Amino acid sequence: MSEEFRRVDGRKPDEMRSYKIKAHVLKNADGSAEIRLGKNWIVAAVYGPKEHFPKFEVLHDRAILNCRYHMTPYSTSERKSPKPSRREIELSKVIRSALEQAVILEEYPEMSIDVFIEVLQADGSTRVASITAAAVALADAGIPMKDLVVGCSAGKINGRIIVDVGEYEDKEGEADLPIAIMPNLRRVVLLQMDGKLTHEEFKKAFDMALKGAYKLYEEQINALKSVIKNMEVLEGEDRE
Amino acid sequence: MSEEFRRVDGRKPDEMRSYKIKAHVLKNADGSAEIRLGKNWIVAAVYGPKEHFPKFEVLHDRAILNCRYHMTPYSTSERKSPKPSRREIELSKVIRSALEQAVILEEYPEMSIDVFIEVLQADGSTRVASITAAAVALADAGIPMKDLVVGCSAGKINGRIIVDVGEYEDKEGEADLPIAIMPNLRRVVLLQMDGKLTHEEFKKAFDMALKGAYKLYEEQINALKSVIKNMEVLEGEDRE
Amino acid sequence: MSEEFRRVDGRKPDEMRSYKIKAHVLKNADGSAEIRLGKNWIVAAVYGPKEHFPKFEVLHDRAILNCRYHMTPYSTSERKSPKPSRREIELSKVIRSALEQAVILEEYPEMSIDVFIEVLQADGSTRVASITAAAVALADAGIPMKDLVVGCSAGKINGRIIVDVGEYEDKEGEADLPIAIMPNLRRVVLLQMDGKLTHEEFKKAFDMALKGAYKLYEEQINALKSVIKNMEVLEGEDRE
Amino acid sequence: MRGEGFRGLTLSELLTIKQVEKLFSEGRRIDERGFLEFREIEINTNVIEKAFGSARVSLGDTVVVAGVNFELGTPFPDSPDKGILIVEGEVLPTASFGAEAGPPNEYEIELSRVVDRGIRESEMLPLEEYVIKHGEVVYKIFLDFNIINDDGNLIDAANLAAVAALATAKMPDINYVKEHIDELNSINIKEVPKVGVKIRDLPIAVTLGLKNNKFIVDPTFAEEIAVESLITITHTNKGELCSIQLLKGGLTFEQVFEAINIAYEKNIELRSILERNGIKVI
Amino acid sequence: MRGEGFRGLTLSELLTIKQVEKLFSEGRRIDERGFLEFREIEINTNVIEKAFGSARVSLGDTVVVAGVNFELGTPFPDSPDKGILIVEGEVLPTASFGAEAGPPNEYEIELSRVVDRGIRESEMLPLEEYVIKHGEVVYKIFLDFNIINDDGNLIDAANLAAVAALATAKMPDINYVKEHIDELNSINIKEVPKVGVKIRDLPIAVTLGLKNNKFIVDPTFAEEIAVESLITITHTNKGELCSIQLLKGGLTFEQVFEAINIAYEKNIELRSILERNGIKVI
Amino acid sequence: MRGEGFRGLTLSELLTIKQVEKLFSEGRRIDERGFLEFREIEINTNVIEKAFGSARVSLGDTVVVAGVNFELGTPFPDSPDKGILIVEGEVLPTASFGAEAGPPNEYEIELSRVVDRGIRESEMLPLEEYVIKHGEVVYKIFLDFNIINDDGNLIDAANLAAVAALATAKMPDINYVKEHIDELNSINIKEVPKVGVKIRDLPIAVTLGLKNNKFIVDPTFAEEIAVESLITITHTNKGELCSIQLLKGGLTFEQVFEAINIAYEKNIELRSILERNGIKVI
């Protein structure tokens, strides 16, 4: 890849957009987080563990994890109906499936944990940004987890493999590869791909996405640390 | 207001349309009433108090009051879909809220009372006519109430404040003010307004609507009296 | 009726299309059957008797029979939405009502039996073909029945009474008369008609449809016999 | 039929049904009617002034209101030269303890479709005359009806209300609309001069119940539950069958013909009641 | 209101409500606010860069986001010379323990419609100027808002967000669209040159709670449940009433006027906060 | 995945799952297949004579039917020069004890969308050639499929049925339609002369399960529940990846590549089966 190649927003192929994660951003939720990744602005809230309702759905050996990925009507260029689309239903399912790998559901039999993700502004790679925020919200809620979950995407545009696919690249590019991993357990828990990639290109894209994910993992940790720091400050105040 | 001013249907500003309320018009319902106000033709039916279903919704300290305000497809100039519109859902809510002020729900814990209002022909001010009929239907069902509920509207057209807003005036007028009161307790239990009114105009309109409501209250009493008379006649027959 | 008269597909007025019924065509269902009647291709599956869910709907003196008649999107010339139409809901109801006459529901109080009918290709007279397959599926599931149920249609086109109405005849004809009977109990359990028929024509059409039904009844028996034969063969194998 | 399932029946409804069954076995009906006798029928037309046509019909304690609406619409691709008729009925939650608000259930859909078939198959309305522009603009006629109070025999009552509302409707003059075809967008269909609807037939539905191998007509709510079978048979003006629906239970082959004959006789009776109300095919 | 019914409240919510009630009887509010004092208000506009207009408003712990979208559409047949305004709001499931995903319930519909009425009846937007071609093409303006966190007084917060998003929106230049009317099909509305939205009014909603015959403004979630009555009163720029909604409970005749007067005073206060954020009628 | 939740599994299903797990630990499969062996595959095309294209595919006891329909439609505003492809699949209630009638659940939506992505991303159909009039009229191709009996590996089976139905479809000749563009309203798309569909690729989906760190292909219903992870990998004719979906569980980084290699090998095998049925890219 030539050094001169610059993406539509000026990035190098292996360059992430700017990002920022904040934990504990909502007052009412048991846990919450906000992520900004490029112009993506996504909020995740966690309610639970709590009594599951209705009773007949309860699982006796573990908690039920509910997950909703949702885009607000103004989050996209064309106004989106607030009713969940087939795409949103599919993404809710794959995100839930990924988070289920990390959350220790067996600790809360007969209960449920709700994860609500709201995309306030969409700018490409929303699903991996969403799962990254959702994992922080779960940790913020104090839910026991085997590991965090963090996601990043890679793709291909004009024949080049790129990381952290932006909206324009998603629409105009040749392939999109969103992944999410448990960073310490080194397991892939979300993996989708569309477009066309040779096996070789896939390898390159996969590695780039992994690197991106590990960067965002640092940011997740920072976000959670500052919440703990805040708590310590508050506890300190308490002691006075 | 000039004495010569006549409304589109020939009424004076403070003149009600003709009205007639009849109680106990449906055979199956526990209570029912019909109102005609201008060309409005509205039927209200009450079922209950009865066991509430499903069980998990039950309130342990009082009855649940359900209320549906609904327009039939042929009740309006343009055919209305039978599916409840957002407007009908809002009106069902404000009518229920008003009736809840009057009905002594604490007498029937764990039960429910259903109020069904069907607009067969709409001619402006349907919501206040509806609540007026619904209160008579509740009384007809023998449900204990602190007071009746009676409604009337006022509005503004061509700069003049008018009572009992007709369909044309609702569409072409500058403001609409539907109210419902508990006439003996002198409390407002439904109050909405849209359009533009100065505080002064509001005062005038509010007073006009109140006067209209007290007139309709007389008619409510008449309607209930003739049911009681009928019952006495029937009881008389019984005794023979 | 002149001997020369031939229908659009070359049939005589009292001639059935070719037909074939096969029992036990699906692996998972407790009972199943497939019918081909002309180009009709319809599959019926039975699940049950099984615990009914949700509990509050249970009938304490008999089983609930559920029935769904459904057309797949590619079964008709114009693509059909997979969502059940009003027509499909009506047909599900009349087919269920007919099957309820034959199934001994009292044997399974508090349980339910599901009958699912899927039209894969529609070619006129689908409802009677459906009920004919459904009855075989019920028998294949070992559900106790007073009698089989078998259906056939008659109709009128160009002034002539015909049996086993095809798609073209359904669209272009003057009348359609689908019936279903319990062949041994000699009772009509499904009867619909639309179009115009004099009483005389009705009689003629009804008799033709009856005759057709009795022919299909033979085929139902054959279908069930070969299942039993297969079972015997299997049992034979078992014994070896 | 209705009244079945987990919603159950009120105690008073259950007692009435028991009583109906007891009387049936003695050859009597609860209201002392003859087995082939209708309850009192009241027909009022033009009860909704704002609709193009309307009627209120009561059959004993069963009450139905029907209304007619005309709109401009696009014809179905497979009948480019025909107006569109849409018949929809609902049982309002006012109608009985068990009636529910919400989308129509299968009984309401059957009710609507049986009434629809009678009107459509009898060719009561000359739909082919309701075409403004071939394949593009036609009249769309909505016939909506509602059961206000349900004491059984909803189909016969709804059919009478539907037929009475249609037959007495005033429709927007199609010649006027055709003359203004270039300004269709600015035509308010409600303000087009009106002419009477032309009708070519009057379908009459008669529903029979069967109990202990005897037929009754015009079953009440309790009788509908007490009988073993229910069938609706609709005749045209000329005495042809135009719709049949077995609603419940079964019939022997012979009973099918017996039912048709009874329905034919009663159809003539109902027809004369309509005629007394000025409703007939001219 | 919200929080009622079988979903129930969390224990912490219940305890807060008890505490609110106890303090009310002592003439105090839980956060030591004056009865007629608003919580801190934060208004940020253009928070969604990709929308035509947007705002994030927080009222204490209540947080709302609103966004504005323009599309080309067909006008309603009864107002062929007016743009279309559609206001829809939802309480997101992030907002509270009791908030649910799914189609809007009656409280969300009321919330949307009250905000809608304020904007519509104040004639904030010159809808009659949003016509590309009479009766055929107009602007369709979507104002969507979402409650992200619910600590009560959703209407006032949503109204502020809606008004701020609309007032600061950049809309596609209608003159440009009119000049390209022959190529409407190929116009991408997002790429049309933008101009500021003209506004003619700013409706300000003020919600009051009544407890022990005393009014409070800006009720929290717990206060909304603790008070006996709730009413929203919306004023125009000129001090006219343009929308009233009694949300809960009842008022004496005198209290209606008292509420209106308080709402008027507070409306002026909120108006000056908007003005400080550069949002005003010019 | 499927089979989870409160609907539960039948006793027989549970026993099979237990058995599958026991055998897995012994390195065996319940039907004695090799870990990377497919069940018997049967492909029949043109099974629905009335459709433009159709296929019935069985994969062991899993049975799918797919049908193709062509309609005239309006293109999406953002691709005015492309035909529209709509892929929708449902698991019919006939398919298993747990399958339900009603709108598609999340597993059915995922199934449809994975099949859709394979077809779309491989660019199997030349959608840009299906344009009658730029921005106004295009072909709308419906590919509907239904699971009739569910014994697992629905995606691979549905993908084969979809691809076989599309590849063998006869479509309405677009040149004929273009020549009759002035009479589009009166064209019956079913009666337009037909030509074979041109296809440019054949996407082949291969689903793998992972249990005890070993991959299996073509999992049965019981195996899908018994395995820890499930992934579908779709290849184009040229051996490129065109769709991946991790359906369940997780994989190590290395296992991702192992899975891709296995899927590639099996894709060649399935491709030769299609070719034996006359289905290939020319």
Side-chain angles (χ1 to χ4, degrees), chain E residues 242-261:
Chain E
C242 66
S243 166
I244 303 181
Q245 183 93 341
L246 180 57
L247 301 162
K248 171 183 166 172
L251 298 176
T252 65
F253 301 162
E254 296 71 30
Q255 282 167 344
V256 170
F257 297 95
E258 195 186 335
I260 288 175
N261 288 333

Side-chain angles (χ1 to χ4, degrees), chain F residues 22-68:
Chain F
K22 186 171 162 289
L23 289 168
F24 268 147
S25 67
E26 301 167 10
R28 292 164 59 201
R29 291 178 83 169
I30 193 159
D31 47 11
E32 297 299 345
R33 265 190 291 159
F35 272 32
L36 301 184
E37 199 180 323
F38 264 83
R39 289 170 290 181
E40 198 181 337
I41 299 173
E42 228 182 283
I43 298 170
N44 291 293
T45 53
N46 293 311
V47 293
I48 315 278
E49 297 167 57
K50 297 189 172 189
F52 288 90
S54 61
R56 180 192 180 280
V57 166
S58 62
L59 199 54
D61 287 327
T62 290
V63 182
V64 196
V65 174
V68 178

Side-chain angles (χ1 to χ4, degrees), chain F residues 44-189:
Chain F
N44 291 293
T45 53
N46 293 311
V47 293
I48 315 278
E49 297 167 57
K50 297 189 172 189
F52 288 90
S54 61
R56 180 192 180 280
V57 166
S58 62
L59 199 54
D61 287 327
T62 290
V63 182
V64 196
V65 174
V68 178
N69 219 328
F70 280 80
E71 285 183 11
L72 297 177
T74 315
F76 291 119
D78 59 351
S79 21
D81 46 6
K82 268 195 175 174
I84 294 173
L85 170 69
I86 293 171
V87 177
E88 281 189 32
E90 291 198 2
V91 178
L92 295 180
T94 59
S96 74
F97 178 80
E100 284 184 341
N105 64 26
E106 60 180 16
Y107 297 110
E108 290 170 276
I109 287 173
E110 183 178 53
L111 165 61
S112 302
R113 286 176 60 86
V114 171
V115 171
D116 178 305
R117 276 204 286 272
I119 294 168
R120 198 177 299 280
E121 301 299 338
S122 71
E123 297 170 279
M124 177 179 180
L125 294 180
L127 293 180
E128 72 287 354
E129 292 181 11
Y130 294 169
V131 181
I132 321 287
K133 195 173 172 191
H134 173 88
E136 295 189 23
V137 191
V138 297
Y139 276 166
K140 199 167 171 178
I141 305 123
F142 288 97
L143 184 283
D144 290 283
F145 64 84
N146 289 111
I147 310 298
I148 312 287
N149 194 71
D150 172 4
D151 191 26
N153 202 9
L154 303 186
I155 292 180
D156 295 7
N159 180 74
L160 286 174
V163 158
L166 278 175
T168 59
K170 301 279 180 216
M171 61 183 265
D173 185 355
I174 198 153
N175 293 322
Y176 179 93
V177 178
K178 279 181 181 165
E179 280 161 25
H180 295 75
I181 196 153
D182 294 334
E183 323 144 43
L184 272 190
N185 273 340
S186 51
I187 278 191
N188 181 340
I189 193 81

Side-chain angles (χ1 to χ4, degrees), chain A residues 50-120:
Chain A
K50 58 197 176 69
E51 207 188 344
H52 185 74
F53 181 87
K55 280 292 165 208
F56 62 79
E57 286 179 358
V58 146
L59 301 181
H60 296 289
D61 57 346
R62 63 180 193 279
I64 291 172
L65 186 72
N66 294 311
C67 180
R68 181 176 106 134
Y69 162 95
H70 183 248
M71 302 183 97
T72 56
Y74 39 80
S75 64
T76 49
S77 280
E78 275 197 64
R79 191 224 178 215
K80 205 211 129 277
S81 157
K83 223 187 105 199
S85 65
R86 288 166 69 91
R87 178 182 167 277
E88 286 167 289
I89 293 170
E90 183 199 351
L91 295 195
S92 298
K93 187 258 168 190
V94 295
I95 292 172
R96 188 196 70 231
S97 174
L99 295 174
E100 280 175 344
Q101 298 300 302
V103 175
I104 304 173
L105 294 167
E106 295 72 17
E107 296 246 336
Y108 303 103
E110 313 204 351
M111 307 194 82
S112 63
I113 298 167
D114 291 344
V115 178
F116 299 118
I117 296 161
E118 294 290 339
V119 179
L120 296 172

Side-chain angles (χ1 to χ4, degrees), chain C residues 26-228:
Chain C
L26 299 177
K27 194 78 176 191
N28 288 342
D30 294 314
S32 58
E34 181 181 272
I35 187 167
R36 297 202 181 239
L37 173 67
K39 293 184 182 169
N40 283 303
W41 179 19
I42 298 168
V43 172
V46 169
Y47 285 90
K50 57 195 176 69
E51 206 187 342
H52 185 74
F53 180 87
K55 279 292 165 208
F56 63 78
E57 286 178 358
V58 145
L59 300 181
H60 297 288
D61 56 346
R62 63 181 193 278
I64 291 172
L65 186 72
N66 295 311
C67 180
R68 181 175 106 134
Y69 162 96
H70 182 248
M71 302 183 98
T72 57
Y74 39 79
S75 64
T76 49
S77 281
E78 278 197 61
R79 190 223 180 216
K80 206 213 129 274
S81 159
K83 222 186 107 200
S85 65
R86 288 167 66 91
R87 177 182 168 277
E88 285 165 291
I89 293 171
E90 184 199 350
L91 295 196
S92 298
K93 188 257 168 189
V94 295
I95 291 172
R96 188 195 71 232
S97 174
L99 296 174
E100 280 176 342
Q101 298 300 302
V103 176
I104 305 173
L105 295 167
E106 294 72 18
E107 296 245 335
Y108 303 104
E110 313 204 350
M111 306 195 84
S112 62
I113 298 166
D114 292 343
V115 178
F116 299 119
I117 297 161
E118 293 291 339
V119 179
L120 297 172
Q121 183 161 225
D123 191 26
S125 303
T126 60
R127 80 193 68 181
V128 286
S130 292
I131 206 168
T132 300
V136 173
L138 281 161
D140 178 45
I143 309 249
M145 295 167 83
K146 297 177 206 155
D147 197 353
L148 278 179
V149 176
V150 60
C152 185
S153 69
K156 180 178 167 191
I157 189 162
N158 297 328
R160 286 166 200 275
I161 303 301
I162 53 170
V163 75
D164 184 24
V165 179
E167 192 182 43
Y168 173 84
E169 292 161 336
D170 186 22
K171 278 191 188 140
E172 304 298 323
E174 294 107 52
D176 186 22
L177 172 69
I179 69 161
I181 59 169
M182 293 198 289
N184 296 296
L185 295 175
R186 300 182 64 79
R187 282 178 76 79
V188 180
V189 289
L190 181 148
L191 177 57
Q192 295 186 295
M193 194 227 113
D194 64 72
K196 280 186 199 166
L197 288 180
T198 64
H199 284 197
E200 220 168 320
E201 288 168 336
F202 175 83
K203 171 101 183 67
K204 194 164 171 183
F206 184 78
D207 288 345
M208 264 195 191
L210 274 191
K211 267 187 208 150
Y214 278 103
K215 282 181 198 157
L216 285 166
Y217 173 56
E218 299 298 315
E219 176 66 9
Q220 285 181 312
I221 296 295
N222 290 339
L224 286 166
K225 272 190 187 152
S226 45
V227 176
I228 295 162

